[in-house]
Amino acid sequence: VISMLTARRAGVVPASRGHHAHVLGPTLAPMRMAERMASKRRRDISAPSQGQGGSKAAVGAVADWVEDNLGTRVVREAFIGGSGWSSQYGYTCEDGRKLFVKTSLGRDVSMFEGEALGLRAMEATGTLKIPHVYHYGVLPTNSPGRGGCFIVMEHLELGGGGDDAALGRQLALMHLAAPTQPEAAAGRFGFPVDNTIGGTPQPNGWHDDWVTFFRERRLAHMLRLAGDTRLNKLGEQLLPRIGELFKGIDVRPSVLHGDLWSGNVGWAGGQPTIYDPATYYGHHEAEFGMAWCAGFSGRFWAAYRELIPDAPGAAQRRELYQLYHYLNHYVLFGGGYYGSCVNIMERLIAHLNK
């Protein structure tokens, strides 16, 4: 999943966003070829495709899917934004529906599968507004070895001025919701598929123990990607002891957005909405590992903590969860985040040595 932060640092910021997860079952009968060709001629492509994830052929192929499966014609396709991983478009349909489409060339369908399943898991809680995904799949291609994938979802009209207290309350309700995934309902941590955090692979294999999951699937994984001697030495001191930060804490699986910062939060029709997830089932406190880049207000925290109060030791665990995201930013963007990684690890080690 490509965060707005990644897009901004790449120098491309999408002007509008939208997402969701649900793969359609039975498809509608294909349009006759003459109708399809006529429909293609009527489309208005208002901007050329850009970024590494788009092409005119890909845009047209997704429009064909919409027309074959959603029972409406695409009358306008507008380029919205892009990054090194995907290109994003807004489609306007003949029946008035607006769709948000991402395409990615040269990548397999797992690129969007994690996003789609994550959005589905969050939507199933019936709490926050989550954009609805109609389909994700493989792009047809005439270029051998090129390939690609796409995702089609509801386009949300985002606006400002939302109620931070409503966001905090609904997010807490999402974290308190009973998991729909059988493994998570049985108390396990992880997700059915691996996904990405920004452009970094995020492994989600199931584990019965949260501390082990976070140590191996998050921190150790990121330290291996970082490949830095000093960070690894600090990790050798810290990782075996992180369980000490969870003494007396009962951790249960909550569905997490996984990459929650200000660029992935908005309001649609007055409702708080979140999108661009890196979803998995984990400790609810881990949701706030990106809080340093989120700007949550006092009203947000008061509403959230009214339903889920802070547990003892939350301040130290907050740093532990932030460490994962700082390490990811170091992996993605380099040295500017190195000092933060070192400082957090040294503070946690000092705390554990008291």
Side-chain angles (χ1 to χ4, degrees), residues 330-350:
Y330 173 64
V331 169
L332 287 172
F333 307 121
Y337 297 92
Y338 185 80
S340 296
C341 297
V342 170
N343 291 339
I344 291 173
M345 296 175 85
E346 289 181 339
R347 281 197 301 270
L348 288 172
I349 291 167

Side-chain angles (χ1 to χ4, degrees), residues 147-180:
C149 55
F150 71 99
I151 185 169
V152 180
M153 62 190 82
E154 173 187 9
H155 187 285
L156 297 182
E157 297 293 339
L158 300 181
D163 181 2
D164 283 359
L167 173 62
R169 182 170 54 253
Q170 295 305 109
L171 183 65
L173 290 172
M174 186 181 91
H175 290 163
L176 291 169
T180 56

Side-chain angles (χ1 to χ4, degrees), residues 274-288:
I274 57 178
Y275 35 83
D276 264 2
T279 296
Y280 63 100
Y281 290 94
H283 188 199
H284 67 271
E285 291 179 4
E287 189 76 279
F288 303 110

